[in-house]
Amino acid sequence: MRIAIIDTSTTRAAIISDGLSDAGLGDLVLIDPARPLLAQLEAARPEVVLVNLENPSRDVLEDFFAMSRALARPIAMFVDQSDAEATAAAVDAGVSAYIVDGLAKQRIKPVLDLAVRRFQAFARLQAELAEAKSALADRQAVDRAKAILMKRRGIDEPAAYALLRSHAMQSNRRIADIAEAIVTSDALMGDL
């Protein structure tokens, strides 16, 4: 597993590196926080990003939160001090693990594992939400198309659905696609 380490202090970066090496993780990339972060991270292609900020200012935190929103990777962030607002901003930005005053060599691997698992769980939830939204949109399109067919053809709901299904099978398309075409056509043609 390739891990990117972002830290302004070489001493603290060494603690992280040692903790990861002791855990058998040696594919590490040190990212220079003085240079553009996203470009370096895109070039390094890490699977996980570990960030250590001693006493970050609000601007520095916002820069890192913007980076975490742009990355589709687990991010564990260690900070020495925090407040409720910064913690909430970290969660909103998608930081998988936000650890306050907890940088210790033996804790690096468990925090890394936590960040990866939380990221995977969140990604699963996002996929399920997208799937549910898509299914709902499909269902709404089918319901609208059935209503249009019932009105235009003077048929009942089962007959309208059977017509949609039949046309979908004949044209080798999804019922929702046929329904969307009917809804779009009705919107364009109106009550002709």
Side-chain angles (χ1 to χ4, degrees), residues 13 27 29 55 88-91 96 109 116 150 162 171 177 183 185-186:
D27 191 3
V29 178
N55 291 311
V91 170
S96 303
K109 175 71 165 99
V116 169
M150 290 164 56
S171 61
D177 294 339
V183 171
S185 174
D186 184 64

Side-chain angles (χ1 to χ4, degrees), residues 96-113:
S96 303
Y98 187 74
I99 312 301
V100 180
D101 194 26
L103 181 63
K105 184 176 160 181
Q106 67 276 8
R107 293 189 68 203
I108 302 297
K109 175 71 165 99
V111 168
L112 174 79
D113 292 341

Side-chain angles (χ1 to χ4, degrees), residues 58-184:
R58 191 68 57 209
D59 290 340
V60 169
L61 273 177
E62 188 52 45
D63 288 345
F64 278 99
F65 295 158
M67 174 207 60
S68 71
R69 282 185 210 99
L71 289 176
R73 309 258 187 301
I75 297 175
M77 185 175 284
F78 293 90
V79 294
D80 287 350
Q81 297 177 15
S82 187
D83 56 29
E85 186 179 319
T87 303
V91 170
D92 291 344
V95 173
S96 303
Y98 187 74
I99 312 301
V100 180
D101 194 26
L103 181 63
K105 184 176 160 181
Q106 67 276 8
R107 293 189 68 203
I108 302 297
K109 175 71 165 99
V111 168
L112 174 79
D113 292 341
L114 170 70
V116 169
R117 284 194 176 91
R118 287 196 62 207
F119 178 82
Q120 290 169 342
F122 187 69
R124 274 192 308 276
L125 287 174
Q126 284 183 313
E128 289 172 9
L129 176 61
E131 187 178 313
K133 284 182 177 181
S134 177
L136 179 61
D138 287 352
R139 183 77 239 151
Q140 289 172 335
V142 168
D143 287 344
R144 286 193 306 262
K146 285 190 304 187
I148 292 166
L149 290 172
M150 290 164 56
K151 179 181 173 188
R152 295 264 173 131
R153 298 232 176 158
I155 57 178
D156 63 3
E157 186 177 355
Y161 185 76
L163 188 59
L164 281 171
R165 189 169 151 241
S166 171
H167 189 70
M169 288 185 342
Q170 288 172 2
S171 61
N172 199 25
R173 293 171 57 196
R174 295 178 335 122
I175 292 175
D177 294 339
I178 300 300
E180 269 303 323
I182 290 171
V183 171
T184 301

